[in-house]
Amino acid sequence: ARGEADMVLEPPKLERKLSDSLNQNEWSPLDNALQSVIKIFCVSATPNFYVPWQIHPQRSSSSSGFVIEGRRIICNAHGITNHVYIRVRKHGDATKYRAKLLATGHDCDLALLTVDDENFWRGLKPLQFGKIPALQASVIVIGYPKGGDCISVTKGVVSRVVIATYSHSNQVLLCVQIDAAINSGNSGGPALQGDKVVGVAFQGMNKAQNIGYIIPATVVQQFIHDVDRNGSFSGIPCVGLKTQILENESLRKSLKIPNDNEGILVIAIEPLAPCAKVLKVNDVIRKIDGVPVAGDGTIFFRRGERLSHVHLITSKSRGDSVRFEIMREGKTMEMEVQLGDPEKLALVPVNLYDTLPSYFVYAGLVFTVLSRPYLRAWGSSWSKKAPSPLIEKAFYGVKEKEGQEIVILSQVLAAPVNTSYERVCYLTVLSVNETKVHNLKHMVELVEKAEEEEGQQFIKFKLERDKVLVVESKLAKEDSAKILKQNQITHSKSADLRGEEALSPRESVSPPKQQRKRKGKKGEEERSSKDSKVQDS
């Protein structure tokens, strides 16, 4: 007989939590769902909008996704934004497969991926979509949140269905609030009711417990349908007007409308919006596509539930039409309005994902286009810390002409040619040699034209706050190469201004041969919030 020292102890057998059957036909709906949930590994490189000729260092992050029809993986856009390299891994598999991007919808924070390797798709079944869940309905959220490398399953109930702001795009869209835990890394994972996907996990709320948000299946299907129809996502539309609630009785009487608590007041219209041709300020919108709009701006959704009237607009596609029933000076009228592109209406771009910033360096003066990504150089609290004139334009600026941009003097690279100008920054450029500036490209044309003109010794930049900068063109030419070399700037103009096709951040850097992970919890860096209240998960 062997002694205790010679005995070999067998490890205890682990009890399976899922179905013990190896036959997929006998698996439970949860078993099948787990097989279809994918972990996404992304290396990204974010543009530097304050130093626009540079790219921020690469960073690694992870998120979730799941398989749908057509050998595609749906995930969150914020999980793969500015990507350089994407790999995916199946549940229970050690192999990571190279993935490629098919389509991105930053407005609704969704993206589609695919994998060319046939081995990846073996044993995977696409998940099917369901309907918007009812209040207090149970949902299961599956994904790969921080705290571990393996798949995670959490359960909760639907708290409410609301129109809320998507932190990635700042768009106001339909979403579902649940009390299941949604943490960093959960982004893109499915929310299930039975064997149907009723939503996609995408963000949580800071300094709050058990508040998570999922993108409802209707928004996801709208995104997929748009991609299938157009080859890419056309985007969420807008009308291009501002409205005010009509709950005050005196206000309703002054507008000559019935006191029936129906209708909202048009108080401003974007000059370039399609609706500017048919609607007027002080019109009262009473119905949208035949749906009554209450005085508080809400519409009927389901029994006991109401939503903002914005839902009737955002549930359509760009280029679609919407029918308004309005009252104008006491008369009822019907108007058909084509929906517009909010990106074309915004004077200050809200998001510039997967895009390199435009810039122009002349005599050490760095000019760029004002955008919210530029303002985020002041941090998540940019609306309090950035220069007040720029903040005001970001929130209240109105685009009056197509192609109009706010060109600003971002910084001054000190040199003899710009002596004493180094403190003149963050101001809008109004004109060059008394010609009004329309956009950055136009400003570059004015400067280059002035340099070529005989007898044009000086170039005069007029800025807001009555500031004037004068540059001697001869000195500017002499110092230009030296200034660029000192600051390690390859070109004085961005690619789009040189007439070249602008590269995306992922095209301006090469994919890594081997992904290096930053140290942190479990060795992976999770994406952090850009918003002080609501964060991408």
Side-chain angles (χ1 to χ4, degrees):
R2 293 185 297 177
E4 291 184 5
D6 297 324
M7 293 180 64
V8 178
L9 299 178
E10 295 183 359
K13 294 182 179 180
L14 297 177
E15 182 179 347
R16 274 180 59 87
K17 295 291 184 181
L18 304 175
S19 172
D20 290 323
S21 175
L22 296 178
N23 185 355
Q24 291 188 10
N25 295 325
E26 299 179 10
W27 285 6
S28 69
L30 181 58
D31 282 314
N32 288 318
L34 291 176
Q35 301 305 312
S36 300
V37 181
I38 309 301
K39 185 166 186 177
I40 300 170
F41 301 86
C42 179
V43 178
S44 58
T46 306
N48 188 332
F49 280 83
Y50 187 75
V51 187
W53 53 87
Q54 293 184 356
I55 299 289
H56 286 296
Q58 293 184 10
R59 60 187 294 265
S60 300
S61 63
S62 67
S63 58
S64 307
F66 59 94
V67 176
I68 62 171
E69 294 284 356
R71 288 195 167 192
R72 294 177 293 183
I73 300 168
I74 195 158
C75 62
N76 279 141
H78 75 256
I80 49 87
T81 297
N82 299 317
H83 74 276
V84 175
Y85 191 53
I86 303 174
R87 293 190 296 170
V88 295
R89 191 185 71 196
K90 297 188 290 185
H91 171 54
D93 194 349
T95 304
K96 296 176 183 175
Y97 299 85
R98 180 74 180 269
K100 64 180 181 181
L101 180 66
L102 292 177
T104 310
H106 290 294
D107 289 353
C108 54
D109 198 2
L110 292 168
L112 287 173
L113 308 175
T114 192
V115 176
D116 291 333
D117 194 326
E118 289 290 332
N119 294 322
F120 173 79
W121 300 104
R122 291 176 182 171
L124 292 181
K125 291 184 178 180
L127 296 181
Q128 304 298 320
F129 291 98
K131 299 179 180 179
I132 298 176
L135 299 182
Q136 287 298 304
S138 296
V139 293
I140 294 175
V141 178
I142 307 174
Y144 294 87
K146 64 181 181 180
D149 186 53
C150 299
I151 202 165
S152 170
V153 180
T154 56
K155 188 176 182 180
V157 298
V158 174
S159 304
R160 56 185 165 187
V161 179
V162 294
I163 300 294
T165 301
Y166 284 35
S167 63
H168 178 67
S169 62
N170 213 41
Q171 276 278 2
V172 179
L173 298 172
L174 185 68
C175 70
V176 178
Q177 180 183 321
I178 61 176
D179 68 354
I182 296 180
N183 300 307
S184 296
N186 258 128
S187 292
L192 297 173
Q193 195 172 44
D195 61 348
K196 302 293 185 182
V197 176
V198 295
V200 177
F202 78 116
Q203 65 187 31
M205 181 170 287
N206 285 341
K207 300 179 181 179
Q209 294 182 346
N210 297 330
I211 295 182
Y213 295 94
I214 60 175
I215 303 171
T218 52
V219 176
V220 182
Q221 290 172 303
Q222 177 185 350
F223 164 71
I224 295 172
H225 176 71
D226 199 334
V227 172
D228 290 342
R229 183 177 61 179
N230 302 312
S232 61
F233 183 59
S234 61
I236 300 296
C238 72
V239 179
L241 52 79
K242 294 181 181 179
T243 60
Q244 176 182 320
I245 62 175
L246 277 177
E247 295 181 312
N248 184 275
E249 187 176 344
S250 298
L251 179 57
R252 297 183 70 88
K253 287 181 179 179
S254 69
L255 295 168
K256 301 177 182 179
I257 59 175
N259 190 23
D260 55 3
N261 193 32
E262 189 175 290
I264 50 176
L265 177 65
V266 177
I267 58 174
I269 300 175
E270 299 282 354
L272 299 180
C275 69
K277 299 177 182 179
V278 293
L279 294 178
K280 295 181 180 180
V281 172
N282 289 331
D283 282 348
V284 176
I285 300 174
R286 291 175 62 82
K287 292 181 180 179
I288 301 177
D289 282 339
V291 179
V293 180
D296 63 352
T298 62
I299 59 169
F300 175 82
F301 176 55
R302 297 185 300 201
R303 191 176 73 174
E305 297 178 74
R306 300 187 69 83
L307 293 175
S308 168
H309 70 281
V310 174
H311 176 59
L312 296 174
I313 306 300
T314 57
S315 59
K316 293 179 175 287
S317 299
R318 292 181 186 176
D320 289 350
S321 296
V322 63
R323 180 164 292 276
F324 289 118
E325 182 184 299
I326 68 169
M327 289 198 72
R328 180 182 296 169
E329 298 178 353
K331 297 181 180 179
T332 301
M333 309 171 68
E334 284 197 0
M335 304 283 187
E336 188 169 293
V337 176
Q338 188 177 22
L339 298 178
D341 181 350
E343 296 174 4
K344 293 182 179 180
L345 303 181
L347 179 61
V348 178
V350 177
N351 298 301
L352 291 172
Y353 292 119
D354 301 315
T355 305
L356 294 175
S358 300
Y359 70 89
F360 176 49
V361 181
Y362 180 74
L365 308 178
V366 180
F367 301 97
T368 189
V369 178
L370 179 62
S371 64
R372 291 203 186 186
Y374 174 83
L375 293 172
R376 292 186 188 118
W378 279 267
S380 58
S381 300
W382 62 266
S383 59
K384 299 178 182 178
K385 297 180 180 179
S388 55
L390 303 186
I391 296 173
E392 183 177 359
K393 290 180 177 66
F395 284 113
Y396 305 111
V398 176
K399 182 182 283 190
E400 298 177 348
K401 296 182 179 179
E402 190 173 345
Q404 181 182 357
E405 294 174 339
I406 295 180
V407 181
I408 59 173
L409 175 61
S410 176
Q411 56 180 304
V412 178
L413 307 176
V417 69
N418 57 47
T419 300
S420 80
Y421 292 164
E422 55 269 12
R423 293 188 178 182
V424 183
C425 296
Y426 315 132
L427 297 178
T428 301
V429 181
L430 302 178
S431 65
V432 174
N433 288 349
E434 307 302 331
T435 301
K436 188 176 180 180
V437 171
H438 182 59
N439 53 39
L440 184 57
K441 183 180 180 180
H442 180 228
M443 194 198 81
V444 172
E445 292 172 352
L446 292 175
V447 172
E448 293 177 345
K449 182 180 178 181
E451 281 190 319
E452 295 172 358
E453 291 180 357
E454 293 185 10
Q456 188 69 53
Q457 185 179 359
F458 301 103
I459 297 179
K460 177 181 177 182
F461 298 92
K462 187 174 182 181
L463 313 180
E464 62 182 351
R465 295 188 177 180
D466 300 321
K467 297 290 184 180
V468 176
L469 305 183
V470 176
V471 175
E472 189 172 350
S473 57
K474 182 180 178 181
L475 291 178
K477 290 180 180 179
E478 293 174 353
D479 288 0
S480 178
K482 184 179 179 180
I483 293 172
L484 295 178
K485 185 176 180 180
Q486 284 178 338
N487 292 276
Q488 299 182 346
I489 305 174
T490 307
H491 299 284
S492 62
K493 297 182 290 186
S494 54
D496 57 320
L497 297 177
R498 298 197 304 270
E500 302 174 8
E501 185 177 353
L503 298 175
S504 66
R506 61 179 172 274
E507 295 170 319
S508 62
V509 292
S510 300
K513 294 182 179 179
Q514 183 176 0
Q515 182 177 343
R516 296 180 61 188
K517 297 181 179 180
R518 294 186 181 184
K519 293 182 179 180
K521 290 185 178 180
K522 300 299 179 183
E524 291 177 0
E525 180 185 346
E526 303 289 351
R527 290 184 181 269
S528 59
S529 167
K530 303 185 298 296
D531 191 283
S532 58
K533 294 183 179 179
V534 180
Q535 65 173 6
D536 297 326
S537 59

